[in-house]
């Protein structure tokens, strides 16, 4: 039988079934060959594991963070449309966005949006429900609404410091057509369109304890702006309802007051 060194910590089972230690590893080319093959097999296993991890990471990144290009602009789109019928008066658009506005706030039996529901029943408003693709934070949702593109998960990173929007969108189109746009509300709009608004007043979305001033700073502009005749589109982006939901959920007195205010 083979001799085993008492101080040896490495035990290898050679082809003849006997134990061998460090002293035996130095003896005989056959045994050195067995150790070399074992080490080569370990390296191959490690290399396979690294390749599998790299492939899995690549598939994950490709699926959840796909490269997104801007929506292609069809230069001849406006020429292909029939001319709009002539209308009298000064036609303007008000885009009022209530952050975290859920459909059931409108459709539930004890809805606090009585004015909105009356308009729907009387045919003065058209109600429909949209399904939001994740991620459901401010920047991706705004880009989806005004640009028509499905946002990517990488937009979550940009939500804290939104870059200027370069994709095709209705705001850029309106400004390029000579329309005057004003904006009051979430300051994300100011980062997306730093040079597009005739007048603006941004509010921060990250001070969630504020449910009153953040909306009052929007509403105070409404009546004065309606008296002005120099704008074509006004954006109102309210954050208080979202803040109320973060603070106490939907079944609170604060949420009830915010819903009635938004109505």
């Amino acid at each position: 039988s083979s001799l085993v060194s008492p101080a040896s910590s490495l035990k290898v089972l050679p082809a003849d079934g006997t134990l061998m230690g460090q002293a035996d590893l130095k003896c005989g080319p056959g045994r050195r060959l067995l150790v070399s093959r074992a080490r080569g097999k370990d390296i191959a296993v490690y290399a396979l594991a690294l390749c599998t991890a790299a492939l899995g990471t690549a598939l994950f990144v490709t699926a959840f963070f796909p490269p997104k290009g801007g929506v292609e602009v069809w230069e001849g789109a406006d020429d292909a449309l029939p001319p709009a019928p002539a209308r009298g008066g000064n036609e303007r658009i008000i885009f009022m966005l209530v952050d975290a506005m859920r459909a059931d706030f409108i459709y539930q039996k004890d809805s606090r949006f009585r004015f909105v529901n009356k308009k729907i029943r009387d045919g003065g408003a058209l109600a429909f429900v949209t399904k939001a693709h994740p991620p459901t934070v401010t920047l991706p949702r705004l880009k989806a609404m005004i640009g028509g593109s499905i946002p990517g998960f990488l937009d979550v990173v940009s939500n804290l410091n939104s870059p200027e929007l370069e994709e095709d969108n209705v705001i850029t189109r309106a400004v390029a057509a000579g329309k005057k746009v004003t904006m009051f509300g979430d300051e994300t709009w100011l980062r997306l369109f730093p040079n597009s608004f005739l007048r603006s007043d941004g509010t921060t979305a990250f001070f969630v304890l504020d449910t009153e001033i953040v909306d009052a700073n929007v509403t105070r502009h409404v009546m004065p702006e309606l008296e002005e005749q120099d704008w074509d589109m006004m954006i109102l982006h309210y954050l208080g309802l979202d803040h109320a939901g973060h603070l106490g959920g939907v079944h609170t007195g604060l949420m009830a007051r915010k819903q009635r205010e938004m109505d």
Side-chain angles (χ1 to χ4, degrees):
S1 62
S2 302
L3 295 175
V4 179
S5 172
S8 173
S9 60
L10 176 62
K11 299 296 185 294
V12 180
L13 185 63
D16 57 4
T18 59
L19 289 175
M20 59 183 264
Q22 291 177 346
D24 299 301
L25 295 179
K26 300 178 182 179
C27 303
R31 287 171 177 167
R32 285 197 297 270
L33 181 60
L34 289 174
V35 174
S36 176
R37 288 178 177 175
R39 289 177 178 174
K41 186 179 295 185
D42 290 341
I43 293 174
V45 171
Y46 291 144
L48 179 61
L50 289 175
C51 291
T52 303
L55 179 61
T57 302
L59 290 175
F60 175 84
V61 171
T62 303
F64 284 88
F65 305 99
K68 288 178 58 60
V71 178
E72 183 179 356
V73 179
W74 179 24
E75 297 296 342
D78 295 336
D79 299 333
L81 295 176
R87 295 186 176 91
N90 185 15
E91 189 174 60
R92 302 191 287 184
I93 296 175
I94 298 177
F95 178 35
M96 177 178 170
L97 176 62
V98 181
D99 221 83
M101 179 69 177
R102 290 176 10 183
D104 60 312
F105 292 166
I106 299 291
Y107 296 119
Q108 61 189 1
K109 292 183 179 180
D110 56 344
S111 172
R112 301 178 180 93
F113 287 83
R114 297 180 180 178
F115 174 80
V116 174
N117 274 287
K118 184 178 185 302
K119 286 293 183 181
I120 295 173
R121 290 192 302 268
D122 296 343
L126 176 64
F128 60 92
V129 180
T130 62
K131 293 184 178 180
H133 288 266
T136 54
V137 293
T138 302
L139 175 63
R141 298 270 40 89
L142 289 183
K143 292 174 65 175
M145 284 188 287
I146 64 178
S149 62
I150 298 177
F153 279 86
L154 281 180
D155 288 328
V156 176
V157 180
S158 303
N159 190 62
L160 300 177
N161 187 22
S162 311
E164 183 175 356
L165 185 60
E166 298 180 351
E167 300 177 14
D168 190 26
N169 62 87
V170 295
I171 305 300
T172 302
R173 287 264 183 159
V175 174
K179 304 299 182 181
K180 304 299 182 183
V181 184
T182 62
M183 194 290 301
F184 307 101
D186 193 333
E187 62 186 2
T188 303
W189 291 91
L190 300 180
R191 294 194 292 267
L192 291 175
F193 306 100
N195 304 305
S196 297
F197 300 124
L198 177 65
R199 287 182 295 276
S200 62
D201 186 9
T203 57
T204 180
F206 297 106
F207 186 44
V208 296
L209 296 179
D210 177 21
T211 61
E212 302 297 333
I213 298 178
V214 70
D215 285 345
N217 280 337
V218 178
T219 302
R220 69 187 179 92
H221 292 284
V222 174
M223 296 310 297
E225 286 296 320
L226 291 178
E227 297 296 329
E228 299 289 343
Q229 300 298 321
D230 58 349
W231 57 269
D232 302 286
M233 181 178 185
M234 178 167 62
I235 301 170
L236 307 171
H237 190 158
Y238 287 91
L239 297 168
L241 188 75
D242 179 50
H243 292 184
H246 284 300
L247 290 176
V250 298
H251 304 294
T252 62
L254 175 60
M255 175 59 77
R257 291 195 302 273
K258 293 308 297 184
Q259 290 185 16
R260 286 192 289 266
E261 179 185 349
M262 291 299 100
D263 181 50

